[in-house]
């Protein structure tokens, strides 16, 4: 790593496809996926469904579209969706479910682990009557981005899902980083998501694909999701060129997430020693710094001056995400640079 090269910790979405992935993409067998003819997309969907223990899957361009298609497939306009106040669907998907799905998003407080309190979910379930929206869906998130990459244990997901199911509501799990949860907790993703009807996961984050997410669930729901995807303009044609990257990632890029988690711990320990930041030990690849001295903007600018990129993450908070393209040596270099920024402040 040269002195001037930028170390990009803004997100694991910045990862670049490596040479082997690019070769897999270049050699992909393709067809028209809207006709169901693309063998690479079909292979990715079958692999994805199997990997998370669901019947079927549909390939979509982004995590945002996967979640939106899930909400559209589980609900009708005027329904209510229960979800965490810190969830990505509630905070970072441009209220697409409200605008396009015509549903009401009802946030419940997230606990520090990214979960919800069972009693809050129970209390939020609507009694059916003329006036109320129908409680149609509960959305959970694993790992939980805003809660610092925390893993939602299978037992917690089961307990929350049981309440929803009892009320006749569906359960969708935003598993954008579900394989980080699998690797960190040494629990198969299929087990972590077993209690949810549907699960979405991203190929374009730690798994290092250039693009793409998958929504997995029962065949009937995925058939509906295919129509919703088409409505949103997400029906792609020779998408196998992209899907081949996903197949490659599922085969080669899951186990290595453990390196990202180890790097996140090293980064958090180093940052915590500097003084101006409170840093919790990360559960996976997301490191959150709470600014104790100075300002968030001041530190982001100081880091950027040293060639370390991070993002603002709520009031007084900065996020750094470790990933394939920042190895252990680069993490050490990032810490050296940040130390210089602190010394100069
Ligand atoms: N998260 C991105 C940004 O939107 C913040 C990131 O850098 O972390 N669910 C979760 C839990 C996510 O973290 C994200 C992306 C999505 C869904 C949406 O995925 P994309 O970006 O593919 O639409």
């Amino acid at each position: 790593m040269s002195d001037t090269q930028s170390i990009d910790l803004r997100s694991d979405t910045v990862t670049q496809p490596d040479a082997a992935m690019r070769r897999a993409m270049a050699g992909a067998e393709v067809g028209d996926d809207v006709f169901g003819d693309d063998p690479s997309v079909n292979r990715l969907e079958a692999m994805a469904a199997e990997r998370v223990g669901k019947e079927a899957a549909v390939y979509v361009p982004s995590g945002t579209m996967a979640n939106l298609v899930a909400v559209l497939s589980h609900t009708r306009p005027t329904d209510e969706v229960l979800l965490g106040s810190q969830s990505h669907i509630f905070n970072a998907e441009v209220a697409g479910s409200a605008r396009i799905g015509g549903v009401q998003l009802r946030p419940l407080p997230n606990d520090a682990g990214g979960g919800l309190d069972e009693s809050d979910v129970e209390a939020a379930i609507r009694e059916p009557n003329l006036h109320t929206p129908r409680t149609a869906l509960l959305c959970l998130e694993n790992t939980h981005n805003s809660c610092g990459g925390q893993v939602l244990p299978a037992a917690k997901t089961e307990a929350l899902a049981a309440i929803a199911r009892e009320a006749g509501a569906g359960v969708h799990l935003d598993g954008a980083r579900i394989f980080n949860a699998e690797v960190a907790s040494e629990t198969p993703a299929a087990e972590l998501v077993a209690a949810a009807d549907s699960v979405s996961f991203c190929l374009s984050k730690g798994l290092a694909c250039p693009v793409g997410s998958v929504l997995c669930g029962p065949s009937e729901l995925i058939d509906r999701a295919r129509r919703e995807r088409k409505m949103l303009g997400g029906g792609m044609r020779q998408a196998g060129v992209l899907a081949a990257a996903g197949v490659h990632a599922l085969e080669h890029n899951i186990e290595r997430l453990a390196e990202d988690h180890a790097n996140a711990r090293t980064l958090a320990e180093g940052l915590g020693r500097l003084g101006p930041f409170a840093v919790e030990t990360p559960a996976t690849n997301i490191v959150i710094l709470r600014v104790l001295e100075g300002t968030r903007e001041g530190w982001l600018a100081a880091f950027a001056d040293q060639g370390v990129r991070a993002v603002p993450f709520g009031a007084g908070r900065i996020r750094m995400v470790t990933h394939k393209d920042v190895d252990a040596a680069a993490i050490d270099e990032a810490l050296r640079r940040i130390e210089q920024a602190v010394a100069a402040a």
Side-chain angles (χ1 to χ4, degrees):
M1 149 127 339
S2 77
D3 283 353
T4 51
Q5 210 174 328
S6 147
I7 301 172
D8 195 346
L9 297 167
R10 287 174 301 167
S11 181
D12 44 10
T13 59
V14 304
T15 42
Q16 303 242 340
D18 59 20
M21 183 177 278
R22 286 169 191 262
R23 276 197 299 277
M25 295 173 75
E29 224 187 308
V30 297
D32 188 329
D33 180 51
V34 174
F35 285 112
D37 282 352
D38 190 303
S40 301
V41 172
N42 293 343
R43 176 148 181 243
L44 172 65
E45 291 179 346
M47 274 175 84
E50 205 208 325
R51 198 67 177 66
V52 296
K54 303 294 179 203
E55 227 172 21
V58 59
Y59 181 52
V60 292
S62 67
T64 301
M65 193 186 285
N67 285 332
L68 177 54
V69 156
V71 171
L72 293 172
S73 304
H74 278 282
T75 63
R76 324 187 274 261
T78 75
D79 280 347
E80 188 163 74
V81 177
L82 305 179
L83 77 184
S85 55
Q86 304 299 316
S87 65
H88 197 275
I89 296 180
F90 183 57
N91 294 302
E93 299 185 8
V94 208
S97 299
R99 175 162 184 176
I100 298 164
V103 295
Q104 177 159 285
L105 296 181
R106 180 166 176 194
L108 306 174
N110 269 120
D111 60 32
L116 302 170
D117 194 301
E118 281 86 336
S119 60
D120 287 341
V121 177
E122 262 159 21
I125 303 275
R126 304 276 188 177
E127 274 182 42
N129 73 35
L130 180 67
H131 310 278
T132 56
R134 185 180 71 117
T135 307
L137 182 64
L138 170 69
C139 292
L140 301 172
E141 187 174 317
N142 195 4
T143 64
H144 201 288
N145 186 352
S146 285
C147 294
Q150 294 284 331
V151 177
L152 198 63
K156 183 73 172 172
T157 303
E158 272 159 32
L160 294 168
I163 300 165
R165 212 175 306 285
E166 174 74 24
V171 181
H172 170 66
L173 190 137
D174 175 357
R177 297 186 177 85
I178 195 64
F179 293 109
N180 293 87
E182 171 177 289
V183 168
S185 65
E186 298 181 351
T187 311
E191 206 176 300
L192 292 170
V193 308
D197 300 297
S198 58
V199 55
S200 52
F201 68 82
C202 292
L203 296 157
S204 58
K205 297 195 164 67
L207 300 189
C209 293
V211 71
S213 288
V214 192
L215 175 69
C216 308
S219 299
E220 219 182 292
L221 188 90
I222 297 304
D223 286 348
R224 188 165 169 201
R226 250 176 235 291
R227 274 182 67 77
E228 305 293 6
R229 178 187 70 169
K230 191 72 184 72
M231 178 189 74
L232 296 171
M236 299 178 285
R237 302 295 177 172
Q238 285 72 36
V241 172
L242 300 169
V247 170
H248 181 86
L250 289 177
E251 285 172 345
H252 300 283
N253 288 355
I254 292 179
E255 278 174 28
R256 64 149 309 285
L257 294 172
E259 281 173 46
D260 300 345
H261 301 168
N263 287 338
R265 286 194 297 273
T266 306
L267 182 63
E269 277 161 24
L271 292 168
R273 276 197 293 269
L274 297 178
F277 317 111
V279 193
E280 278 173 30
T281 305
T284 53
N285 68 330
I286 295 179
V287 179
I288 309 248
L289 287 66
R290 218 157 30 79
V291 174
L292 302 174
E293 295 162 32
T295 65
R296 183 185 73 173
E297 271 59 40
W299 286 119
L300 282 168
F303 298 167
D305 282 348
Q306 297 286 341
V308 176
R309 306 182 79 182
V311 289
F313 212 57
R317 300 204 313 166
I318 290 172
R319 186 187 75 167
M320 294 182 178
V321 185
T322 56
H323 55 78
K324 172 183 81 63
D325 296 344
V326 177
D327 63 13
I331 291 293
D332 290 343
E333 173 64 16
L335 281 169
R336 259 192 302 279
R337 293 182 189 184
I338 292 169
E339 210 173 320
Q340 276 170 19
V342 170

